[in-house]
Amino acid sequence: MASIIPVASFDCVVFGATGDLTTRKLLPALFYRFQDGQIPETSRIIGASRTEIGVAEFRERARDAIKRFVPPQDIRDGALDGFIAHLDYVAVDGAGDDGWEALAAKLAERPDLVRPYYLATSPDLYGSICRNLARHGLIGEKSRVVLEKPIGKDLKSARAINDAVGEVFPEEQIFRIDHYLGKETVQNLLALRFANTIFDRLWTADVIDHVQITVAETVGVEGRAGYYDKSGALRDMLQNHLLQLLCLTAMESPLNLDANAVRDEKLKVLRALKPITAHDVQQVTVRGQYTAGAVGGKPVEGYLTELDAASRTETFVAMKVEVQSWRWAGVPFYLRTGKRMPQKLSEIVVQFRASPFSIFPGEAFGREPNRLVIRLQPQEGIKLEVMTKDPGPGGMRLRPTNLDISFEETFKQRYPDAYERLLMDVVRGNATLFMRRDEVEAAWAWADGVLGAWADRPETPRPYPAGTWGPTAAIALIERDGRTWHEELR
Ligand code: BG6
């Protein structure tokens, strides 16, 4: 059993309290933490949104959300009632004046508590909510603001958001969430790399051939077409989640686990990304858009039908990225992410170089390179593919075998959702797993180059049938280099 260290008492104000993120992720995550005894009895979770409902109605909605998004077997007797009693609600207009006095009055009841403000709203409101918080004297030393993505749609808009929030909150009190950093296996990547000498010594261009990062989803745009069509896979997934995974894979050892030590190292990786320009964008990137097909045996519509409009937005992107540094010179990072893929699968594959020479008979034997597969989902775990001897007499035959650790089976406990960890880190004031302003802006500066290069090209995204691994051009992208995507249907 993991030990649970209670956090300090807090008043957490969730703006966007009736929205999708709060319902699907934040309330269930807080419920789990409460049920596990991590949230002190004196804490409150105060929902805030424009919707004119009372506390009773908010509590009912929260109860429904938890019943919907937490499996019934995980809800212990009495825990739901206990949790609901900690919820409060104020109708507040983030962009206007209404409701702020009531919120201020509520918070004034307990001025000394840690006070996270979670902005689960549209980013257009971040600036005005922060200004209102300042105007009503609601920001103190123990306040923190949590920003959900997207933080902008390009460098310019990201800077505008960061400036507006930065006018009232010092950087140490700003927590920019990338929920991938809260996934257990992502943190395990740090453990794997920096707590094991065997991997650290091998983490170099001499030994590693290339790295693949895949984040595949089976879902389509799920009623979020309005947001998604203005965004696309590059902005929605690659600029943040995949680049963060790349940073943790490629960064040098930080001096320690302090927020700035880790973020300094990630920033160096982002700054070392080779810019993609109009000159090479066609060779190193592939955009796709799903058409009608079948996922998990069920027929699904194409993106344009769901959207009911014409669109050049990509629902899939694959690219070859280079990190221009001493350690990584000549080691490509192949990234791909898409909606409506055959399975939900996120993994980082570190492929080592093939052995230089085979002493075994037959060319096919002994040359299969080792691979380290770090699985984020499903079945979080780590697998090292090694060559072994086929058992039995009859000569020396080799075959690849896996050293396989499934975390759930090994530790026999539920794997918490990323938001559980991240929310408690906010209360603790630990920003190691959150993005600093300069990181977000460096990631946008690089992504802007790709977006600009695409905008200059006449091509539209290539179609791929829902339920496939993207357009065939994505396969060609890696095969041109004599490599293949790691595909292993489970
Ligand atoms: C979000 C994206 O950040 O991550 C969504 O906006 C995507 O489009 C989601 O579906 C994927 O998260 P997870 O944790 O389900 O892999």
Side-chain angles (χ1 to χ4, degrees), residues 246-257:
L246 185 154
C247 284
L248 292 176
T249 310
M251 73 182 190
E252 298 300 318
S253 164
L255 291 179
N256 50 45
L257 281 185

Side-chain angles (χ1 to χ4, degrees), residues 4-72:
I4 289 168
I5 304 165
V7 294
S9 255
F10 60 83
D11 269 347
C12 176
V13 183
V14 181
F15 290 92
T18 53
D20 200 53
L21 180 74
T22 308
T23 311
R24 278 174 191 272
K25 292 287 181 187
L26 303 183
L27 288 171
L30 288 163
F31 169 73
Y32 271 116
R33 293 298 85 226
F34 171 80
Q35 184 171 253
D36 281 354
Q38 196 166 20
I39 297 186
E41 275 299 324
T42 45
S43 301
R44 289 186 298 185
I45 295 145
I46 305 172
S49 89
R50 267 194 323 204
T51 318
E52 291 284 351
I53 50 170
V55 183
E57 166 74 18
F58 179 60
R59 288 182 171 177
E60 261 336 284
R61 290 186 186 199
R63 188 185 290 279
D64 290 347
I66 288 157
K67 283 192 182 148
R68 206 167 137 214
F69 294 108
V70 177

Side-chain angles (χ1 to χ4, degrees), residues 63-309:
R63 188 185 290 279
D64 290 347
I66 288 157
K67 283 192 182 148
R68 206 167 137 214
F69 294 108
V70 177
Q73 67 275 17
D74 281 6
I75 304 179
R76 296 202 285 269
D77 280 351
L80 189 48
D81 288 338
F83 175 71
I84 297 293
H86 290 266
L87 302 184
D88 206 335
Y89 184 81
V90 195
V92 181
D93 181 0
D97 296 329
D98 294 346
W100 287 95
E101 314 256 294
L103 177 63
K106 210 169 268 301
L107 292 173
E109 291 162 16
R110 289 125 50 94
D112 298 328
L113 296 194
V114 172
R115 208 182 270 171
Y117 295 108
Y118 201 115
L119 309 195
T121 63
S122 151
D124 309 342
L125 294 176
Y126 291 175
S128 59
I129 292 176
C130 288
R131 274 192 297 277
N132 267 316
L133 287 171
R135 201 152 56 87
H136 291 87
L138 299 178
I139 303 176
E141 269 176 26
K142 289 190 178 171
S143 310
R144 333 192 189 295
V145 66
V146 187
L147 306 181
E148 261 297 333
K149 64 171 270 272
I151 297 177
K153 60 178 177 41
D154 52 18
L155 179 58
K156 189 163 165 251
S157 52
R159 278 196 178 137
I161 292 173
N162 284 331
D163 283 346
V165 177
E167 264 172 40
V168 299
F169 280 100
E171 180 64 27
E172 311 78 71
Q173 289 174 240
I174 304 175
F175 289 70
R176 296 178 190 80
I177 280 221
D178 182 313
H179 77 279
Y180 267 59
L181 294 181
K183 291 187 190 273
E184 282 287 327
T185 316
V186 176
Q187 295 161 58
N188 244 313
L189 188 54
L190 291 174
L192 186 77
R193 286 199 55 202
F194 302 120
N196 296 288
T197 39
I198 51 169
F199 294 117
D200 183 50
R201 300 289 147 86
L202 300 178
W203 227 249
T204 107
D206 295 344
V207 189
I208 293 178
D209 177 73
H210 74 278
V211 176
Q212 300 180 15
I213 301 179
T214 296
V215 178
E217 298 186 89
T218 50
V219 292
V221 289
E222 310 277 276
R224 294 160 80 220
Y227 151 75
Y228 193 86
D229 198 54
K230 288 198 213 85
S231 174
L234 181 94
R235 289 187 172 100
D236 185 50
M237 297 293 287
L238 197 138
Q239 181 271 347
N240 37 77
H241 305 323
L242 279 86
L243 285 190
Q244 285 293 321
L245 297 181
L246 185 154
C247 284
L248 292 176
T249 310
M251 73 182 190
E252 298 300 318
S253 164
L255 291 179
N256 50 45
L257 281 185
D258 286 354
N260 281 334
V262 172
R263 299 187 296 183
D264 286 347
E265 294 307 329
K266 287 197 287 164
L267 181 65
K268 288 182 201 160
V269 176
L270 291 166
R271 291 198 172 143
L273 293 177
K274 184 176 174 204
I276 293 177
T277 62
H279 173 69
D280 60 1
V281 74
Q282 276 305 99
Q283 281 81 56
V284 298
T285 73
V286 173
R287 282 178 286 167
Q289 192 183 68
Y290 62 82
T291 56
V295 179
K298 283 201 201 120
V300 295
E301 290 180 328
Y303 179 70
L304 296 182
T305 317
E306 275 178 279
L307 191 67
D308 197 18

Side-chain angles (χ1 to χ4, degrees), residues 5 21 27 55 105 133 145-146 155 334 336 390 399 419 433 449 457 469 475:
I5 304 165
L21 180 74
L27 288 171
V55 183
L133 287 171
V145 66
V146 187
L155 179 58
Y334 298 95
R336 64 177 170 165
D390 221 357
R399 70 166 177 207
Y419 280 94
L433 297 177
R457 305 281 319 182
W469 289 102
I475 298 169

